[in-house]
Amino acid sequence: MAVCIAVIAKENYPLYIRSTPTENELKFHYMVHTSLDVVDEKISAMGKALVDQRELYLGLLYPTEDYKVYGYVTNSKVKFVMVVDSSNTALRDNEIRSVSAGDWRTTPGWWMFRKLHNSYTDVMCNPFYNPGDRIQSRAFDNMVMSMMIQVC
Amino acid sequence: MEGLTLSDAEQKYYSDLFSYCDIESTKKVVINGRVLELFRAAQLHNDVVLQIMELCGAKRLGYFGRSQFYIALKLVAVAQSGFPLRVESINTVKDLPLPRFVASKNEQESRHAASYSSDSENQGSYSGVIPPPPGRGQVKKGSLSHDTVQPRTSADPQEPVSPVVSPQQSPPTSPHTWRKHNRHPSGGNSERPLAGPGPFWSPFGEAQSGSSAGDAVWSGHSPPPPQENWVSFADTPPTSTLLTMHPASVQDQTTVRTVASATTANEIRRQSSSYDDPWKITDEQRQYYVNQFKTIQPDLNGFIPGSAAKEFFTKSKLPILELSHIWELSDFDKDGALTLDEFCAAFHLVVARKNGYDLPEKLPESLMPKLIDLEDSADVGDQQSEVGYSGSPAEAPPSKSPSMPSLNQTWPELNQSSEDTAIVHPVPIRMTPSKIHMQEMELKRTGSDHTNPTSPLLVKPSDLSEENKINSSVKFASGNTVADGYSSSDSFTSDPEQIGSNVTRQRSHSGTSPDNTAPPPPPPRPQPSHSRSSSLDMNRTFAVTTGQQQAGVVAHPPAVPPRPQPSQAPGPIVHRPVDADGLITHTSTSPQQIPEQPNFADFSQFEVFAASNVNEEQDDDAEKHPEVLPVEKTSDPASSLRVAKTDSKIEEKTAASAPANVSKGTTPLAPPPKPVRRRLKSEDELRPEVDEHTQKTGVLAAVLASQPSIPRSVGKDKKAIQASIRRNKETNTVLARLNSELQQQLKDVLEERISLEVQLEQLRPFSHL
């Protein structure tokens, strides 16, 4: 389902980007890049000092005819961008999430980002990882690949 | 050629011979190769041989294919049996003995025999029939016995005996795995297999005693990767240990350096079964790891922070990416720090990597750290292989989620802390100060080494509860009258300033915290005098009974101990004898007590006593005293005063114990002993914890705790006893209230903690998605 997953650093350079190999990866790179503008727009719109968990998940950034792009930003302004196929409706729940307070956790999109966030945290915890380097962790890789395959 | 039907024995024999002859493993047999020699060994006439060759079609084909070879062998048998060589005779001749070939070399024979030892059916027939080695002596009989018939192109001259005995000599496990990793160091002088596989070699050898699979493995496997220093970056690696473990294997490796051949099924099987073995940590290794751990973190149960670990492992000069991967594998609970088990696993992986092993994708079972810190102590030493091949089962279960260790760590702490806070239960102690009390306290102080001021107090409750141990807590409990209580309490320890501060603190607290107001003021005594009288009685009682009680205990007012104050000063206050000043301040500060306690005058007297007595006293109850003192002080003001001090801890204890007391409905003095004891030991523990909880019960607990120390008065004064009983009951009620409030607070805090942990758990499961 998720055809492309990307981790963007605070300075808006990619730390990690992975697409399903069948697709034209460059296209996804462009999509992710353009979605950064939307992410920044949403971040600035928040403007709150206190950012609670819910706000980390930005939800649908913008849809195209083929794909939908979802965003998630961490407290350290590290952004996770996920491109999913429009034909896959599993992530539509994220719209529902905003409706009811208690359901936001149940949206699969949110959970996927949580997984990403957790894996990213694990990468950060690795003392051998210098923040700002490209993420080369095999565990992170495996998790992302599983997400891309599973979501399909 | 018609089809050739062979019996089983023939089939086997022929296949062996074929493999023997097929030195090039080309599935064809060169006509000029060993086949000729073989046939010559059949002791047949050359013409016969030629005829056989012609018949089998080798001549036609130019080479001996398997079928041709088989036919030829059959014809040899036919010829040896004396039958005329005909094509038809191949199948027509029944019960043809197997062709015999004279062995030209004994070794071959023996080898052959040995290799065929397992082949029971062929035993007899093969004993004397061994194809002569083609003079090369390279034949590995083991291969002949191989079902798969793996021909060995042993280019290197090898000891014919070596294959047979290689399984015992060589470390089968490590080579397997090493070959798996495709590490074939060109040189092999310094090869040392990882110590890990060492222990398993003997089992391997035994398992392969009969089979020649070992031969196959051996001949084929590549020598283990070089291990010049399996710990090169650290201190002197224990290569010596490794060396000693496998001296024979080293030699074998150098000698059995054969070109890798296809791995046989056995090899593969062995590899898979022993794959975990290379990851096992031997004792020497583990000891070395532990020593290294100690250099970074002396506490074996502690953690190595990530930065320290990074520095340490960077010394290994492995690429950062690999170190990063090793870290990911070994930091099992993902906390950014390494426990001893995690460190050993990481170290082992580093060593393996430096020796050429590829890093696994996931942590091998034998390296998995024992999860759940609760079990750490028991499992630290279990990482070594417990069973030969099987991975250590204890370490195997990664069933525990990674989040559990952290949670489990917190839960025990929770329990401990709750226990600590729950131990003390308040002991109702009368705190009615009075002249007599003071006198008693003085007496007690002088006399007993127990809690000074609380001695009278203690006596009282002791009378009631027949417990002698209550010390200062007793005083507190009985110190209904603030003045008395304080005087008594002061008498035994706290500094006047401290007391004053305590008092002030209490007051302040009373205003602020709801709990402060919770403890209702001690039920108005019918008359101060009344209490006084009772206290007098008690004093008398105490005086009589307390040979040991200190005068300081005089202040035995059964007043309800005031709410414990969170900020109660720790022991120092307690330990110091109360000064008169403190007493005065206390008395003055407690409005409630003043009216209730016309004993203030007594206090002054008491102060005198206290001063005199306090100085004399130094006892173990010093701890109790401080507790008692504050307790007294707090109890006196009851609602208004809060003794903030270490007593807060005591209070906690009392709080915890108060409900117990109340619930139990035991004599008020029954619990005192417990709080005392607990207070003593928990004082230090509770000190840091106190702040959170209201100290109200702490003080009470202190007071109550001191009660048990009061020596029992043997019913000297019934009246006094009854009065004290009454007072104690009053104190009880107040304490119970205090306790309930504290309990509620405790519950709230625990609930908060639980909710936080639940939240944490909720986040954790995401990793399972």
Side-chain angles (χ1 to χ4, degrees):
Chain A
M1 173 159 81
V3 294
C4 174
I5 291 175
V7 178
I8 316 293
K10 179 177 176 184
E11 294 81 11
N12 288 333
Y13 62 86
L15 293 176
Y16 179 89
I17 183 162
R18 179 63 53 96
S19 320
T20 53
T22 57
E23 304 288 345
N24 180 8
E25 301 208 19
L26 195 59
K27 176 176 68 176
F28 290 126
H29 287 217
Y30 283 143
M31 291 182 71
V32 170
H33 192 266
T34 55
S35 67
L36 289 179
D37 280 338
V38 186
V39 171
D40 281 343
E41 183 186 336
K42 285 192 186 280
I43 293 178
S44 62
M46 287 189 197
K48 298 176 197 171
L50 179 64
V51 181
D52 66 3
Q53 185 74 1
R54 202 175 304 187
E55 295 170 6
L56 297 183
Y57 179 55
L58 305 175
L60 180 67
L61 296 179
Y62 70 90
T64 64
E65 69 280 8
D66 293 326
Y67 302 102
K68 292 203 269 270
V69 182
Y70 292 93
Y72 180 99
V73 63
T74 70
N75 289 327
S76 55
K77 297 291 186 283
V78 173
K79 308 160 187 74
F80 298 102
V81 176
M82 190 186 313
V83 180
V84 302
D85 203 295
S86 288
S87 56
N88 192 314
T89 59
L91 273 191
R92 225 178 337 153
D93 297 338
N94 66 348
E95 279 125 26
I96 301 177
R97 75 154 184 91
S98 56
V99 174
S100 55
D103 291 343
W104 62 293
R105 283 186 187 225
T106 62
T107 63
W110 183 83
W111 279 46
M112 289 166 68
F113 279 117
R114 285 299 301 162
K115 277 175 66 178
L116 273 173
H117 196 173
N118 282 341
S119 299
Y120 177 74
T121 307
D122 291 341
V123 170
M124 283 295 132
C125 283
N126 190 331
F128 299 101
Y129 173 79
N130 299 316
D133 293 350
R134 298 190 69 94
I135 296 178
Q136 286 155 319
S137 151
R138 275 184 243 180
F140 190 83
D141 246 2
N142 294 339
M143 192 276 306
V144 168
M145 294 305 295
S146 72
M147 209 186 296
M148 291 208 289
I149 297 173
Q150 158 224 338
V151 181
C152 290
Chain B
M1 294 260 159
E2 58 267 29
L4 187 61
T5 58
L6 297 176
S7 66
D8 290 340
E10 284 178 334
Q11 183 76 25
K12 188 163 180 47
Y13 186 52
Y14 290 176
S15 64
D16 291 339
L17 288 177
F18 186 82
S19 60
Y20 166 70
C21 294
D22 190 6
I23 53 177
E24 295 173 1
S25 76
T26 58
K27 298 299 184 297
K28 303 183 214 172
V29 181
V30 180
I31 195 171
N32 290 326
R34 298 188 184 166
V35 177
L36 280 181
E37 295 184 7
L38 194 69
F39 290 166
R40 278 194 215 99
Q43 294 171 337
L44 294 174
H45 200 267
N46 276 349
D47 294 339
V48 177
V49 172
L50 286 174
Q51 190 177 6
I52 290 173
M53 281 170 27
E54 185 177 345
L55 279 175
C56 72
K59 241 184 184 169
R60 179 166 46 85
L61 295 174
Y63 61 86
F64 268 103
R66 186 178 283 270
S67 57
Q68 285 79 34
F69 187 72
Y70 284 8
I71 293 168
L73 289 177
K74 190 86 175 185
L75 288 173
V76 167
V78 169
Q80 285 177 345
S81 310
F83 295 103
L85 285 181
R86 294 284 182 274
V87 175
E88 300 81 9
S89 60
I90 293 174
N91 289 329
T92 54
V93 178
K94 307 294 182 195
D95 298 332
L96 201 60
L98 292 169
R100 297 180 303 279
F101 303 92
V102 175
S104 61
K105 287 193 182 173
N106 295 335
E107 307 141 334
Q108 299 267 346
E109 192 170 359
S110 60
R111 218 180 315 134
H112 203 81
S115 57
Y116 282 112
S117 60
S118 56
D119 303 336
S120 53
E121 53 181 334
N122 301 330
Q123 192 78 31
S125 26
Y126 293 158
S127 54
V129 182
I130 296 178
R136 296 179 205 93
Q138 295 302 329
V139 176
K140 305 196 59 142
K141 287 305 179 186
S143 65
L144 286 181
S145 61
H146 241 286
D147 293 341
T148 58
V149 189
Q150 286 290 347
R152 293 195 186 285
T153 56
S154 50
D156 310 334
Q158 294 184 9
E159 202 61 29
V161 186
S162 66
V164 177
V165 300
S166 59
Q168 285 76 25
Q169 289 177 359
S170 57
T173 60
S174 47
H176 299 332
T177 53
W178 288 328
R179 181 202 331 220
K180 199 167 169 175
H181 290 290
N182 270 345
R183 297 281 172 173
H184 306 323
S186 54
N189 23 358
S190 62
E191 294 173 0
R192 309 268 180 271
L194 263 190
F200 307 92
W201 293 2
S202 45
F204 268 124
E206 293 158 6
Q208 303 166 13
S209 55
S211 73
S212 60
D215 295 351
V217 174
W218 261 108
S219 54
H221 90 279
S222 58
Q227 296 191 16
E228 46 276 12
N229 283 330
W230 63 280
V231 185
S232 56
F233 60 94
D235 315 346
T236 53
T239 48
S240 57
T241 63
L242 291 173
L243 284 175
T244 55
M245 292 178 67
H246 322 304
S249 66
V250 173
Q251 299 163 8
D252 283 344
Q253 294 163 12
T254 52
T255 55
V256 188
R257 185 90 33 88
T258 62
V259 177
S261 63
T263 61
T264 63
N266 288 345
E267 287 176 348
I268 294 173
R269 249 179 282 123
R270 221 170 301 108
Q271 281 177 3
S272 58
S273 67
S274 66
Y275 184 61
D276 284 339
D277 295 339
W279 302 112
K280 286 255 165 58
I281 302 180
T282 64
D283 288 338
E284 292 96 349
Q285 286 176 325
R286 181 153 186 103
Q287 192 53 45
Y288 183 76
Y289 299 153
V290 170
N291 292 338
Q292 290 295 310
F293 184 92
K294 281 186 195 160
T295 64
I296 308 177
Q297 164 69 278
D299 176 21
L300 289 185
N301 289 327
F303 294 88
I304 288 185
S307 49
K310 174 178 180 176
E311 289 175 25
F312 182 78
F313 286 115
T314 308
K315 287 191 271 182
S316 70
K317 306 208 180 20
L318 285 180
I320 294 290
L321 181 60
E322 296 187 5
L323 289 174
S324 172
H325 185 64
I326 288 176
W327 175 275
E328 280 182 0
L329 289 177
S330 56
D331 187 7
F332 201 72
D333 48 6
K334 300 277 183 274
D335 59 354
L338 295 181
T339 65
L340 180 61
D341 286 342
E342 293 172 345
F343 177 82
C344 290
F347 210 131
H348 200 63
L349 287 170
V350 169
V351 165
R353 186 70 184 133
K354 286 196 73 66
N355 286 292
Y357 282 72
D358 287 337
L359 293 178
E361 280 301 314
K362 69 178 202 65
L363 194 64
E365 287 184 351
S366 54
L367 291 181
M368 274 191 187
K370 295 286 193 296
L371 294 181
I372 310 306
D373 297 334
L374 302 178
E375 308 168 2
D376 263 356
S377 56
D379 296 335
V380 165
D382 292 349
Q383 271 204 359
Q384 281 90 33
S385 59
E386 300 148 24
V387 185
Y389 304 134
S390 60
S392 52
E395 302 160 2
S399 55
K400 307 182 179 94
S401 65
S403 62
M404 286 310 292
S406 57
L407 282 183
N408 286 330
Q409 294 170 25
T410 58
W411 282 116
E413 296 162 3
L414 261 183
N415 297 336
Q416 292 166 7
S417 61
S418 59
E419 285 173 13
D420 291 340
T421 59
I423 354 181
V424 185
H425 48 278
V427 175
I429 296 180
R430 250 9 180 127
M431 302 270 296
T432 46
S434 66
K435 283 184 194 174
I436 299 180
H437 278 296
M438 290 199 280
Q439 290 168 1
E440 286 178 345
M441 285 175 68
E442 180 183 5
L443 286 174
K444 285 168 191 168
R445 266 201 221 126
T446 51
S448 70
D449 47 351
H450 242 331
T451 60
N452 330 330
T454 55
S455 51
L457 296 173
L458 293 174
V459 172
K460 249 196 204 168
S462 63
D463 292 344
L464 300 176
S465 63
E466 299 185 340
E467 285 179 347
N468 301 331
K469 293 190 228 160
I470 304 173
N471 302 333
S472 55
S473 58
V474 175
K475 284 200 299 187
F476 283 106
S478 59
N480 274 339
T481 58
V482 178
D484 289 348
Y486 286 122
S487 60
S488 60
S489 60
D490 294 346
S491 63
F492 60 114
T493 43
S494 51
D495 286 338
E497 306 86 304
Q498 291 169 345
I499 295 174
S501 63
N502 287 341
V503 174
T504 52
R505 260 174 304 186
Q506 294 170 5
R507 256 172 299 153
S508 61
H509 286 287
S510 63
T512 54
S513 74
D515 292 335
N516 298 343
T517 57
R525 309 269 157 58
Q527 302 113 13
S529 60
H530 178 59
S531 62
R532 206 115 334 124
S533 60
S534 57
S535 63
L536 283 173
D537 291 340
M538 291 308 296
N539 288 340
R540 255 177 305 170
T541 302
F542 290 145
V544 177
T545 58
T546 62
Q548 305 165 352
Q549 294 290 336
Q550 297 150 1
V553 186
V554 168
H556 187 14
V560 175
R563 289 265 150 63
Q565 296 303 322
S567 58
Q568 290 181 2
I573 301 177
V574 176
H575 293 280
R576 279 185 294 260
V578 176
D579 294 346
D581 298 341
L583 290 173
I584 295 173
T585 53
H586 287 297
T587 59
S588 60
T589 53
S590 59
Q592 298 172 357
Q593 297 152 359
I594 293 176
E596 289 178 326
Q597 298 168 356
N599 288 345
F600 281 24
D602 295 338
F603 279 176
S604 58
Q605 295 178 6
F606 177 77
E607 287 173 6
V608 173
F609 290 139
S612 59
N613 295 330
V614 171
N615 296 331
E616 299 170 355
E617 293 179 7
Q618 289 300 333
D619 51 17
D620 348 281
D621 297 344
E623 292 176 347
K624 296 181 193 170
H625 296 320
E627 298 171 353
V628 177
L629 279 177
V631 172
E632 288 181 343
K633 299 192 178 72
T634 56
S635 59
D636 288 343
S639 59
S640 60
L641 294 179
R642 316 223 168 260
V643 181
K645 38 178 114 170
T646 53
D647 297 347
S648 57
K649 304 175 229 165
I650 302 170
E651 293 167 350
E652 295 168 14
K653 291 186 254 187
T654 51
S657 57
N661 295 340
V662 177
S663 60
K664 292 176 194 173
T666 56
T667 62
L669 295 179
K674 298 179 199 171
V676 172
R677 287 189 288 271
R678 292 204 188 97
R679 194 181 26 168
L680 284 177
K681 67 183 170 188
S682 62
E683 236 185 340
D684 297 335
E685 298 168 352
L686 291 184
R687 237 162 256 195
E689 304 168 354
V690 167
D691 295 344
E692 306 170 1
H693 304 266
T694 60
Q695 297 81 17
K696 39 184 180 182
T697 54
V699 176
L700 293 178
V703 176
L704 298 173
S706 62
Q707 287 183 0
S709 61
I710 297 179
R712 294 190 199 195
S713 59
V714 188
K716 287 291 177 114
D717 209 338
K718 298 279 181 164
K719 261 195 188 174
I721 292 171
Q722 288 167 359
S724 63
I725 289 174
R726 189 170 50 253
R727 288 197 204 95
N728 281 336
K729 283 182 185 170
E730 292 168 358
T731 308
N732 246 351
T733 53
V734 177
L735 284 175
R737 243 165 318 187
L738 278 174
N739 186 48
S740 60
E741 291 167 12
L742 281 177
Q743 286 295 319
Q744 189 57 41
Q745 283 188 2
L746 181 64
K747 279 179 207 166
D748 293 338
V749 170
L750 287 178
E751 282 174 7
E752 285 178 22
R753 193 184 318 199
I754 292 170
S755 67
L756 283 174
E757 295 200 350
V758 166
Q759 288 179 17
L760 182 64
E761 252 316 301
Q762 283 179 353
L763 295 178
R764 258 304 181 180
F766 287 100
S767 59
H768 297 318
L769 290 180

